Amino acid sequence: MLDLFSEDSPWQEPLAEGAVILRLRARDIAERLYQEILCIADQNPFVHRITPGGHRMSVAMTNCGDLGWSTDSRGYQYSERDTQNGRAWPAMPTLFRHLAQETAREAGFTDFNPDACLINRYEPGAKLTLHQDKDEKDMRQPIVSVSLGLPAVFQFGGFERGDATQRVLLEQGDVVVWGGPSRLRYHGILPLKPGVHPLTGAFRYNLTFRRAH
Ligand code: SIN
Ligand code: FE2
């Protein structure tokens, strides 16, 4: 008999208008995505950047694509080169680009063409406090986020920092897309619980695809 409710196939979970979780959507390519991350990190290692306020971020970051997001004493910016070592970011793998475009389309955003992919690496205790993604030029383009490795609690809020948030657990292969009326919602990641993941060991990785310029 056909099992319509099998948890083995990906399913969609709406979060808000213009925001949806595509559960397990990238599960079957998780290993290939992870290998690409390692290859990118070989070329441009993960670093804990310092915010304009002088704080060391608990999340370690690198990027791939034409542009990369980083922060230093001058502020937050997208740039063609890593501001710390002057090197151009590694190219965005085709596998990444296709996943971002296909999942954006499934969420209702047809013309997504990312030029930046921020790669976050979370160790136990690492977190991302509530923030808006607002350094991109065209707010009609969505954000596509792909989770790998250890699970983490994603907070998805409103348009003010103090608004109530939904809390959802994101696991390996989950893809979240937010755009349209949800593009500027506050979001964040609660401190990562320690664990050992069969693919990524002690870490969680997250890819966020953006159209920056
Ligand atoms: C981000 O907001 O840039 C990343 C969110 C996540 O790690 O899931
Ligand atoms: Fe973000």
Side-chain angles (χ1 to χ4, degrees):
M1 213 177 92
L2 190 65
D3 182 2
L4 292 174
F5 300 99
S6 166
E7 297 212 344
D8 281 323
S9 34
W11 70 98
Q12 293 201 3
E13 229 173 86
L15 277 175
E17 202 189 335
V20 65
I21 308 178
L22 308 175
R23 288 286 187 193
L24 300 183
R25 177 62 178 74
R27 178 193 49 187
D28 294 347
I29 57 168
E31 279 182 40
R32 288 163 62 207
L33 293 170
Y34 181 59
Q35 291 309 321
E36 295 284 12
I37 291 173
L38 296 182
C39 181
I40 290 161
D42 262 355
Q43 300 167 66
N44 207 76
F46 284 98
V47 285
H48 295 271
R49 290 176 193 278
I50 310 293
T51 66
H55 298 283
R56 176 186 184 267
M57 294 188 77
S58 59
V59 176
M61 298 175 168
T62 187
N63 289 271
C64 66
D66 292 342
L67 295 161
W69 186 88
S70 66
T71 169
D72 60 21
S73 56
R74 287 164 300 177
Y76 302 99
Q77 71 257 317
Y78 283 101
S79 50
E80 287 167 12
R81 291 174 178 277
D82 187 330
T83 51
Q84 244 166 291
N85 60 26
R87 274 185 261 153
W89 302 107
M92 189 184 297
T94 310
L95 180 71
F96 281 24
R97 180 180 305 282
H98 285 169
L99 176 65
Q101 291 181 320
E102 282 167 22
T103 51
R105 195 177 313 118
E106 287 162 26
F109 301 96
T110 43
D111 295 315
F112 186 48
N113 188 19
D115 55 9
C117 174
L118 172 66
I119 309 174
N120 288 331
R121 187 187 70 191
Y122 297 76
E123 61 199 50
K127 63 180 190 318
L128 209 54
T129 52
L130 284 174
H131 66 278
Q132 294 168 296
D133 290 357
K134 57 179 185 192
D135 300 322
E136 301 76 27
K137 287 218 172 88
D138 183 358
M139 288 296 149
R140 290 169 304 186
Q141 297 287 334
I143 301 286
V144 173
S145 137
V146 180
S147 294
L148 293 172
L150 289 178
V153 179
F154 179 63
Q155 295 176 286
F156 196 65
F159 302 99
E160 306 281 344
R161 192 183 299 277
D163 288 351
T165 61
Q166 302 183 60
R167 290 178 172 199
V168 289
L169 191 71
L170 295 182
E171 297 186 271
Q172 169 151 298
D174 289 343
V175 178
V176 189
V177 183
W178 64 95
S182 282
R183 180 62 177 73
L184 284 173
R185 282 184 187 272
Y186 275 86
H187 57 279
I189 292 287
L190 295 184
L192 192 81
K193 291 215 179 91
V196 180
H197 188 276
L199 182 63
T200 66
F203 297 112
R204 168 182 189 256
Y205 293 87
N206 176 265
L207 309 171
T208 42
F209 294 93
R210 301 107 188 277
R211 180 78 202 178
H213 286 177

